[in-house]
Amino acid sequence: MLPTKTRAVFISYAHADNQSSDPQKRWVDRFIQFLKPLVRQEDFTLCSDQDIKIGQAWHEHIKAHLNGAKAVVLLVSPAFLASDYLTNSELP
């Protein structure tokens, strides 16, 4: 399901950058936490693959949200640059 608010921001990242046992090194979670006050204040939504439900068609979910986004944030890291999926599916 696409966000109902008009200003959607999609976050693209490598899963390896959000899997640390140290919460301070889960970069996506920290970034989302940082933006939460702006989300409430400015009436925009954040979208990422974290929104995908079990059994949901994840590739279609990502494509739909990328196509509907007003902005895309790339959390670029060595793991991001090494990802075939990100390079071949999200970046084009």
Side-chain angles (χ1 to χ4, degrees):
M1 182 174 175
L2 288 175
T4 57
K5 296 180 181 177
T6 57
R7 293 180 281 174
V9 176
F10 186 83
I11 302 170
S12 181
Y13 66 98
H15 283 194
D17 294 328
N18 206 44
Q19 293 179 339
S20 176
S21 59
D22 179 356
Q24 293 299 311
K25 293 182 180 177
R26 283 186 244 154
W27 306 116
V28 178
D29 292 347
R30 292 189 70 205
F31 182 67
I32 290 171
Q33 182 180 30
F34 177 74
L35 291 178
K36 283 291 186 181
L38 295 174
V39 170
R40 280 191 296 265
Q41 180 182 6
E42 298 296 326
D43 196 36
F44 67 88
T45 59
L46 294 176
C47 310
S48 74
D49 66 352
Q50 291 182 349
D51 304 321
I52 299 171
K53 308 285 188 267
I54 294 174
Q56 189 175 9
W58 59 271
H59 181 72
E60 289 76 15
H61 173 92
I62 291 171
K63 284 297 192 190
H65 280 79
L66 275 170
N67 290 334
K70 295 292 183 188
V72 177
V73 175
L74 306 176
L75 298 180
V76 179
S77 68
F80 181 95
L81 295 172
S83 170
D84 290 333
Y85 180 78
L86 293 170
T87 301
N88 296 324
S89 295
E90 290 188 19
L91 291 180

